Amino acid sequence: MSAEAIFPPASSVASCLRPKTRVYSSLQEQSLIGIDLHETVKWLLNISNFTMGSLYRSEEMCLAQLYLQSEAAFACVSELGELGLVQFRDLNPNVNAFLRKFVHDVRRCDEMERKLRFLERELNKDNIPVDDDGDVPLAPLPREMIELEGKFEKLESDMKEVNGNQEALRKNFLELSELKQILKKTQGFFEEATMYQTEHTGFAPELEEDSSRAGDLSRGPFTKLGFVAGVILREKMLAFERVLWRACRGNVFLRHAEMEVPLVDPYTGDKVNKCVFIIFFQGDQLKNRVKKICEGFRATLYPCPESPQERREIAVGVTTRLEDLQTVLNQTEDHRRIVLSQVAHNIRVWFIKVRKIKAIYDTLNLFNVNIAEKCLIAECWCPVADLEKIQGALRHATETSGSSVPSILQVMKSDESPPTYNRTNAFTYGFETLIDAFGVANYREVNPTPFTIISFPFLFAVMFGDLGHGFLMLMFSLYMLYYQRYFLRNKTDNEIWEMMFGGRYLILLMGLFSMYTGFLYNECFSISVNVFGSAWNVSADPGWDTEYLKSQTSLMVDPGKPGVFRGSTLPYPNSTGNPYPYGIDPIWQLASNKITFLNSYKMKGAVILGFVQMMFGLILALNNHLYFKNYLSLFCEWIPQIIFLLCVIGYLVILIFYKWAVWSAADSSQAPSLLIGLINMFMFTAPSQTADTVVFSGQAGLQQGLQIFIVLLAVFCIPWMLFTKPVIIYYRNKQKQATAGYGEVHTSVNGISDRADILAHDELNINHESELDSSSESEKHEEEEFEMGQFMIIQVIHTIEYCLSCISHTASYLRLWALSLAHSELSQVLWTMVMSIGLKEPGALGVVMSFLLFWVFSSLTVGILLIMEGLSAFLHALRLHWVEFQSKFYKGEGYMFSPFSFHVIVEGKSEE
Amino acid sequence: MVRTKLIGPKCSRCCMVTSVWGVVMFLLMGGAYKLHSPALYDDVNINATRIADKEYVYSMYDETGTNCFIVAGVYVAVFFFSLWQFRVNQTLQAYTIR
């Protein structure tokens, strides 16, 4: 264990009392279980309350004008921000950001935020944890803001001072340490140098006593050596040496030694390795050269005395000073930590306060300032259902701010399209996000979300159906829901996890539905479960005795033979003829043509589900037409659309059900082929026994007649969709034009004054616009024609799109079959290739292999089948909703209601 | 509790979940084998020449079932091992707070 763990610094003992480990938090969340079940139950109770505030359509919104007294404005905006129910409009869109009224205050807030960020950085440098007690304070009043400003100013200057002092002290410390090292190392160098001298000169060793010989050149080639001592970064040592050698032509003598202890750089705080060096040279020129090179390499030179006594004295002095400095440094550290811990206590609250103030001033900048009346005018969108709450908040704010004049809220009429506001809770939020990702609903359009809550997990489950995998998903979602509070509070940086956690209710439903469809498909990790007793009795076939079976490798079990398809053994033993009560019969797992059988079943199921969902989409479109009183669209578009869909696919679906109901296991070999029948229907080929297309047995003629009628009806719908609406609109426009033109002619003929009085209105118009009118008449006609042409093209596009989509979207639903086939095949492969190998081994080897292979099986199941297939099925189910379902009724061109809410602002910023 | 850390916190959690899954799944499979479920026919070691012998087939089923129960037992041991390691990691984490 590290030293820190055993002897924690004194100032962080306080933080030890509040450990940030999982031990503590898991204890905390134990007491918070069950609260979200409570929320869900409350929601379920509220869902029956289908007043104006329901999820079926977006909320009714109104445009309101607020008249706020200048003194009360700040408090009012603060209250509204806490409430989070109004969306303000910008009443000064043309005003530059720097010219708005409250720009000065916004700037002050920015300054405060900057100071807080600086303090935060200092906190992070020292790794002091920020206190988070979950408390969200209210926005303080303007006079408190001045107090806060002063506080931050003082803290910032304190910190800067402390930092500056620390830096200076550290620098000093570094210099002294280096000097100490130099003194230590150069001891050795000097001794060497003396030896070198005596070897070559042969004179007495005490170099310092021969100072008289300093300038004596005649005494030999060597005069007294000058030297410089210093410290350089270890990395630069080699280059330094080389440059010295080259520059001084080998006439200098360099000795260096590495320092064992790395020193702390005062500016960056990093540890650096340095070397001590000493350079001996002769003469002034070399001295200058050496000094310049040292400067170039950023080596610090220190004055080093020659005599050993001086060196010792200085060494002692340096050591003492170093000790003093260390004490001072420690004290500075402690002081800094004390200041920072005080900051840590409050910084979160301060951040929130400053952000709230800034948001309020930003909002105040959007208002219209009426200086004469000393009031501010604001325009906002708000839900009609919440007007009471908003007015209450305004009243409360006016009271707290002590203003005598009440704030007024006045509802205005507006032609603009209001924003779309859907009230969601934790459960519906996930589904609403899915729909909004495609497009926000138009104002008061039918919202697909409440239906998506069930249809999306169901379509997912059709593609994912497996009991085992569904169970694993369910467990995972329950884990996320159990620890919901913990995860909500501690947001991680991992986006993928956050996305999955955001969709926890989705995953819960997807898991539940997958278990259901897994039960229907009778697959649990690709193994079938026999719950009710199989309906097939293989041994009832008379020709199949042991000898016959031994000679054959594969046989076809014929349900036509009596007793073979005897019916389920539960609850009626032996032959009711009823198939397996719920789900796919488990015998199919042993059949080699399992896939062929399931294909037929799943494809038909996919077409039925597609038809049902598309019909439902059309019914929602009917609701929209009725609500918006768009009767033209209703008669000219909706009715032919529905008839077309019913004719083309509805008939097919009816035939599917008919075939399932009428043909039993015994005569299944004579069942008709529906696909060929459908193709023949459109080619007007008569149904015949040989082609297997007679559905209503014995009624081939009737069937042909019926089918011809259906096809003709569908074809008739196309011009209905194409022409009726444009023609009606054209005639409407023409009527309008006719009445306008008639008025003009009337006044120009009758110039009599009394008549002119009555028609003064028209006359005025004519007088003012006579020239314009005559020239613009033709333009208007052109405009009408032009609009007509464009309208016609749009109608053609819509018609073609709809008619083709009836076929293509239905075919698109076949992905439900395709993906479920892929899933079951993958699952089977995984079982056969991994688990089965272990299970088949006999004895002890089997135990070992099963044990080891299960690790492989589980990780591949999670990785491939749960994650990859899950994502794939999720994506395709989503696509089916977005394109095939919503194209029938959804416009999705609205804009979201984004209210001014502190919750959003504070949460949003804290995620950065 | 002996405080030797052999696997990390994430690994111990993963092992715990997998071993619980293994215990449940192998117990259920063992039960299915003991009930001679035909769905598991392909996963039993049956000599092709002796498929007509009912007793032989049943005995092979039972043998595989026993194997499954033994594996479930081994996974119980793995579960307790990973639980111990999980606790060890928790206490180690609690010591190194600042």
Side-chain angles (χ1 to χ4, degrees):
Chain A
M1 277 186 263
S2 65
E4 281 160 15
I6 304 172
F7 305 107
S11 51
S12 63
V13 166
S15 53
C16 289
L17 294 173
R18 209 184 320 211
K20 297 219 155 249
T21 63
R22 195 132 161 72
V23 179
Y24 170 80
S25 11
S26 66
L27 285 172
Q28 207 183 35
E29 77 225 5
Q30 294 293 328
S31 56
L32 299 168
I33 319 161
I35 291 184
D36 297 283
L37 286 175
H38 186 233
E39 259 182 24
T40 319
V41 167
K42 259 203 296 186
W43 178 80
L44 283 170
L45 289 173
N46 279 337
I47 198 176
S48 55
N49 186 15
F50 268 121
T51 58
M52 297 217 276
S54 77
L55 205 52
Y56 181 61
R57 285 185 203 279
S58 72
E59 298 260 338
E60 251 191 64
M61 310 288 285
C62 64
L63 190 61
Q65 244 182 0
L66 295 171
Y67 295 92
L68 304 171
Q69 203 61 15
S70 308
E71 301 133 25
F74 190 89
C76 286
V77 175
S78 170
E79 280 279 337
L80 288 175
E82 295 289 334
L83 204 56
L85 284 172
V86 297
Q87 179 180 346
F88 288 106
R89 276 165 57 156
D90 191 357
L91 292 174
N92 311 319
N94 306 320
V95 178
N96 194 342
F98 297 109
L99 295 174
R100 298 200 185 209
K101 184 170 186 249
F102 295 95
V103 66
H104 188 61
D105 301 285
V106 173
R107 219 174 276 160
R108 277 166 68 198
C109 292
D110 276 334
E111 258 301 302
M112 284 205 278
E113 235 187 325
R114 186 192 60 79
K115 292 192 182 118
L116 280 178
R117 274 202 294 269
F118 166 71
L119 288 171
E120 198 183 18
R121 264 201 306 275
E122 294 296 316
L123 275 177
N124 285 340
K125 257 198 239 172
D126 274 14
N127 287 327
I128 297 179
V130 173
D131 283 358
D132 190 344
D133 52 358
D135 185 33
V136 180
L138 293 174
L141 295 168
R143 49 178 173 272
E144 267 184 61
M145 191 166 124
I146 301 173
E147 235 182 80
L148 278 176
E149 262 185 325
K151 219 186 282 185
F152 296 160
E153 179 83 44
K154 185 172 160 300
L155 276 171
E156 197 196 10
S157 61
D158 262 352
M159 281 308 301
K160 284 213 169 125
E161 215 187 294
V162 167
N163 282 349
N165 287 345
Q166 234 184 4
E167 226 174 77
L169 284 171
R170 282 214 190 112
K171 219 168 112 181
N172 220 348
F173 188 81
L174 181 75
E175 281 173 10
L176 287 173
S177 321
E178 285 176 357
L179 187 56
K180 187 169 155 192
Q181 292 283 329
I182 287 176
L183 291 172
K184 221 168 46 174
K185 304 274 187 218
T186 52
Q187 183 70 25
F189 295 157
F190 278 120
E191 281 166 9
E192 279 183 38
T194 339
M195 278 178 4
Y196 182 77
Q197 277 265 293
T198 49
E199 269 174 43
H200 284 82
T201 59
F203 285 120
E206 297 293 327
L207 183 67
E208 301 87 72
E209 290 165 1
D210 278 355
S211 50
S212 56
R213 298 186 197 277
D216 200 352
L217 287 165
S218 62
R219 278 292 181 160
F222 298 106
T223 54
K224 182 174 161 20
L225 289 175
F227 69 93
V228 288
V231 170
I232 192 175
L233 281 172
R234 185 178 62 185
E235 293 85 48
K236 297 190 185 170
M237 196 64 231
L238 208 57
F240 185 54
E241 229 183 303
R242 210 180 298 155
V243 170
L244 262 181
W245 183 263
R246 288 201 191 126
C248 306
R249 303 215 187 115
N251 287 328
V252 294
F253 179 57
L254 169 78
R255 297 287 299 163
H256 67 266
E258 214 177 288
M259 290 204 258
E260 301 89 14
V261 181
L263 298 170
V264 179
D265 184 62
Y267 302 109
T268 58
D270 294 334
K271 291 202 184 282
V272 287
N273 285 306
K274 293 197 176 177
C275 289
V276 173
F277 66 87
I278 184 163
I279 306 174
F280 293 98
F281 49 78
Q282 253 181 332
D284 278 328
Q285 261 200 349
L286 280 176
K287 179 170 167 186
N288 288 334
R289 223 177 271 182
V290 163
K291 277 218 169 115
K292 283 225 177 82
I293 294 173
C294 289
E295 243 173 87
F297 274 88
R298 308 269 170 94
T300 13
L301 297 174
Y302 291 96
C304 188
E306 285 192 44
S307 62
Q309 288 105 314
E310 277 178 45
R311 281 207 292 271
R312 270 194 289 277
E313 276 168 29
I314 294 187
V316 167
V318 163
T319 323
T320 336
R321 277 178 67 195
L322 271 175
E323 276 165 23
D324 288 336
L325 257 181
Q326 185 66 43
T327 326
V328 175
L329 265 175
N330 286 345
Q331 278 178 351
T332 320
E333 270 288 324
D334 286 339
H335 175 69
R336 184 191 146 96
R337 205 159 274 173
I338 290 171
V339 171
L340 280 178
S341 58
Q342 280 170 355
V343 170
H345 193 60
N346 293 322
I347 194 166
R348 202 190 130 267
V349 167
W350 286 339
F351 257 123
I352 294 177
K353 281 189 181 167
V354 168
R355 281 185 189 138
K356 283 192 176 178
I357 298 178
K358 184 159 171 223
I360 294 177
Y361 277 120
D362 278 330
T363 315
L364 284 174
N365 271 338
L366 302 173
F367 293 177
N368 214 344
V369 181
N370 194 336
I371 305 179
E373 316 272 329
K374 282 181 53 165
C375 80
L376 295 163
I377 307 174
E379 266 182 34
C380 61
W381 291 107
C382 53
V384 168
D386 289 326
L387 276 174
E388 286 293 316
K389 270 197 219 162
I390 296 171
Q391 287 191 330
L394 285 175
R395 237 175 294 138
H396 184 246
T398 329
E399 272 167 31
T400 36
S401 71
S403 166
S404 51
V405 182
S407 314
I408 306 170
L409 186 150
Q410 197 185 41
V411 176
M412 292 192 329
K413 280 209 177 300
S414 160
D415 280 335
E416 267 184 48
S417 175
T420 314
Y421 177 45
N422 287 310
R423 250 182 249 271
T424 54
N425 58 18
F427 178 67
T428 52
Y429 177 69
F431 299 98
E432 186 64 50
T433 332
L434 278 183
I435 302 295
D436 285 340
F438 180 72
V440 180
N442 279 357
Y443 179 62
R444 295 297 277 173
E445 189 181 41
V446 169
N447 186 11
T449 307
F451 314 110
T452 308
I453 294 177
I454 294 300
S455 67
F456 177 77
F458 182 69
L459 287 185
F460 172 87
V462 171
M463 293 190 266
F464 193 76
D466 190 300
L467 254 180
H469 302 150
F471 183 70
L472 289 173
M473 270 185 103
L474 182 68
M475 287 293 117
F476 177 59
S477 70
L478 286 178
Y479 164 74
M480 283 198 289
L481 287 174
Y482 189 74
Y483 290 116
Q484 216 182 130
R485 288 296 163 119
Y486 171 73
F487 285 126
L488 277 171
R489 237 179 317 125
N490 309 14
K491 290 197 193 286
T492 61
D493 286 330
N494 195 345
E495 259 196 61
I496 296 179
W497 166 258
E498 287 300 322
M499 247 195 302
M500 279 211 290
F501 178 70
R504 55 197 181 279
Y505 286 106
L506 259 119
I507 299 182
L508 172 75
L509 282 180
M510 289 183 339
L512 277 173
F513 279 78
S514 300
M515 284 182 72
Y516 172 71
T517 51
F519 180 68
L520 275 180
Y521 292 156
N522 214 345
E523 278 191 17
C524 177
F525 296 114
S526 85
I527 306 291
S528 295
V529 180
N530 189 356
V531 180
F532 303 107
S534 174
W536 295 74
N537 181 10
V538 178
S539 56
D541 195 313
W544 292 7
D545 53 356
T546 318
E547 292 308 313
Y548 183 63
L549 288 173
K550 271 194 189 171
S551 63
Q552 301 290 320
T553 46
S554 82
L555 284 165
M556 176 88 92
V557 182
D558 185 0
K561 301 221 178 107
V564 174
F565 192 75
R566 54 136 186 240
S568 175
T569 51
L570 262 172
Y572 316 108
N574 291 332
S575 79
T576 51
N578 289 333
Y580 194 72
Y582 211 76
I584 302 283
D585 198 306
I587 196 161
W588 285 104
Q589 203 197 352
L590 303 168
S592 57
N593 61 342
K594 173 185 183 188
I595 297 179
T596 321
F597 168 69
L598 280 182
N599 277 356
S600 158
Y601 161 68
K602 286 181 182 173
M603 282 170 110
K604 292 195 174 88
V607 168
I608 293 172
L609 285 173
F611 174 71
V612 167
Q613 197 172 35
M614 290 199 287
M615 280 298 286
F616 186 64
L618 280 177
I619 291 172
L620 290 180
L622 174 69
N623 273 8
N624 269 341
H625 290 321
L626 287 176
Y627 181 81
F628 292 116
K629 300 201 182 3
N630 196 349
Y631 295 118
L632 182 66
S633 287
L634 183 66
F635 287 115
C636 303
E637 278 182 1
W638 187 79
I639 295 187
Q641 278 179 346
I642 259 242
I643 296 178
F644 191 79
L645 184 62
L646 278 171
C647 288
V648 173
I649 305 294
Y651 179 63
L652 178 65
V653 169
I654 292 173
L655 285 185
I656 292 175
F657 280 115
Y658 184 81
K659 182 175 169 184
W660 277 348
V662 170
W663 269 265
S664 68
D667 54 0
S668 58
S669 53
Q670 286 104 41
S673 160
L674 292 179
L675 204 53
I676 299 180
L678 187 73
I679 296 172
N680 284 351
M681 173 168 112
F682 284 102
M683 297 203 315
F684 292 118
T685 315
S688 73
Q689 210 52 36
T690 44
D692 262 342
T693 49
V694 180
V695 177
F696 311 110
S697 39
Q699 307 278 353
L702 179 65
Q703 187 179 345
Q704 172 70 336
L706 177 67
Q707 285 179 331
I708 290 177
F709 169 68
I710 287 175
V711 173
L712 286 178
L713 186 60
V715 168
F716 171 65
C717 285
I718 297 179
W720 187 350
M721 268 191 265
L722 195 56
F723 292 118
T724 37
K725 191 167 175 190
V727 162
I728 291 178
I729 290 188
Y730 178 69
Y731 276 115
R732 274 192 192 170
N733 273 339
K734 246 191 144 171
Q735 256 190 343
K736 258 194 252 168
Q737 289 240 304
T739 45
Y742 182 64
E744 277 175 354
V745 166
H746 191 80
T747 45
S748 62
V749 163
N750 292 329
I752 311 169
S753 54
D754 53 353
R755 282 290 189 97
D757 278 341
I758 302 166
L759 299 162
H761 172 67
D762 282 338
E763 214 173 41
L764 276 172
N765 282 345
I766 298 301
N767 285 339
H768 285 300
E769 303 162 2
S770 54
E771 274 109 23
L772 294 171
D773 259 355
S774 51
S775 61
S776 70
E777 228 183 79
S778 49
E779 272 175 20
K780 254 196 241 169
H781 272 302
E782 271 178 32
E783 251 185 50
E784 293 306 319
E785 290 301 323
F786 179 70
E787 267 183 40
M788 198 52 219
Q790 229 189 8
F791 197 76
M792 200 56 219
I793 290 176
I794 291 174
Q795 200 61 20
V796 167
I797 292 174
H798 278 162
T799 309
I800 293 179
E801 195 186 14
Y802 181 78
C803 294
L804 288 181
S805 80
C806 281
I807 308 285
S808 77
H809 286 178
T810 312
S812 178
Y813 273 96
L814 285 174
R815 72 186 69 219
L816 294 173
W817 154 64
L819 272 140
S820 80
L821 179 69
H823 187 89
S824 86
E825 283 304 295
L826 268 176
S827 166
Q828 192 175 16
V829 161
L830 194 60
W831 179 272
T832 322
M833 297 272 141
V834 181
M835 280 302 273
S836 194
I837 295 179
L839 292 168
K840 273 183 125 143
E841 294 293 327
L845 182 63
V847 172
V848 173
M849 281 188 72
S850 294
F851 174 75
L852 292 172
L853 283 174
F854 180 73
W855 290 101
V856 181
F857 176 74
S858 64
S859 41
L860 285 177
T861 300
V862 172
I864 297 180
L865 287 170
L866 284 187
I867 295 180
M868 187 185 88
E869 278 288 313
L871 277 175
S872 164
F874 181 95
L875 182 79
H876 285 285
L878 195 59
R879 175 251 155 72
L880 283 176
H881 276 79
W882 280 355
V883 179
E884 276 79 15
F885 174 51
Q886 287 180 337
S887 65
K888 301 288 178 287
F889 67 99
Y890 194 64
K891 296 288 174 286
E893 287 156 358
Y895 62 104
M896 283 282 293
F897 176 65
S898 46
F900 172 63
S901 159
F902 284 143
H903 181 75
V904 169
I905 292 171
V906 168
E907 284 292 311
K909 289 270 175 76
S910 68
E911 275 170 7
E912 279 172 47
Chain B
M1 175 169 53
V2 183
R3 270 197 241 113
T4 35
K5 173 174 141 167
L6 295 162
I7 50 178
K10 282 195 190 128
C11 185
S12 59
R13 250 194 243 201
C14 183
C15 281
M16 261 168 60
V17 173
T18 315
S19 51
V20 168
W21 177 5
V23 169
V24 172
M25 190 157 156
F26 275 102
L27 281 177
L28 288 173
M29 280 207 296
Y33 276 111
K34 291 290 182 191
L35 289 172
H36 313 302
S37 141
L40 292 168
Y41 182 79
D42 291 324
D43 304 321
V44 176
N45 181 25
I46 291 176
N47 194 340
T49 55
R50 294 174 62 188
I51 51 171
D53 187 356
K54 201 163 161 186
E55 297 309 318
Y56 165 73
V57 170
Y58 281 176
S59 73
M60 291 316 290
Y61 261 102
D62 288 329
E63 203 184 301
T64 321
T66 319
N67 276 1
C68 284
F69 285 132
I70 296 174
V71 174
V74 176
Y75 271 109
V76 170
V78 171
F79 172 71
F80 280 117
F81 169 74
S82 56
L83 184 65
W84 165 54
Q85 283 299 304
F86 181 67
R87 291 275 168 80
V88 164
N89 277 302
Q90 266 187 341
T91 37
L92 281 179
Q93 210 181 11
Y95 265 142
T96 53
I97 47 167
R98 297 173 100 256

